[in-house]
Amino acid sequence: MGLNWYEPTISGIGSTSSDSRPVSTDSKVAEKIAFDIKIEKFDETAKIKIIKEVRTFTDLELKEAKELVEKVHVVVKKGLKKEEAGPIVDKLKELGATVVLE
């Protein structure tokens, strides 16, 4: 059939670079710059305080913030820098929420 099984095939998709060295993943690890705040679970007695805190850093009304917090395993804020997300995560943890910074 004229196919050489030991040579890479050329296709229209992907790189056509002649450099066949493997790419080192250690040297080209991209540092994450945008983080999401995700509430995993929370203490039921602190639910009202957590809802109020979520309202302080989002543009949600009371009803929307309540529905968001009650969903559990929900991202409450996206695309924050680590410096911005840190104080929010600390405050939510202080109130009794289990928070993950993704």
Side-chain angles (χ1 to χ4, degrees):
M1 296 181 90
L3 296 175
N4 187 349
W5 295 103
Y6 300 106
E7 294 281 325
T9 59
I10 298 175
S11 67
I13 300 173
S15 173
T16 58
S17 171
S18 62
D19 188 13
S20 62
R21 290 179 290 160
V23 177
S24 173
T25 57
D26 293 336
S27 64
K28 295 187 180 183
V29 174
E31 186 177 331
K32 191 171 183 178
I33 56 173
F35 295 91
D36 299 338
I37 299 174
K38 182 178 181 182
I39 296 178
E40 292 286 323
K41 62 182 177 178
F42 59 89
D43 185 19
E44 278 296 321
T45 58
K47 181 177 170 181
I48 294 171
K49 293 177 185 176
I50 293 170
I51 292 170
K52 287 180 181 180
E53 184 63 28
V54 168
R55 288 190 65 208
T56 61
F57 61 84
T58 61
D59 295 329
L60 298 175
E61 295 295 324
L62 181 62
K63 181 180 178 184
E64 291 91 12
K66 179 180 179 278
E67 290 171 354
L68 183 68
V69 169
E70 289 176 342
K71 288 182 182 176
V72 181
H73 299 292
V74 65
V75 175
V76 292
K77 189 75 173 177
K78 294 181 180 182
L80 294 173
K81 293 181 181 178
K82 192 164 188 166
E83 296 82 27
E84 297 170 338
I88 296 171
V89 170
D90 293 340
K91 182 67 175 178
L92 288 172
K93 285 182 179 179
E94 181 182 306
L95 293 175
T98 303
V99 183
V100 176
L101 192 62
E102 296 181 335

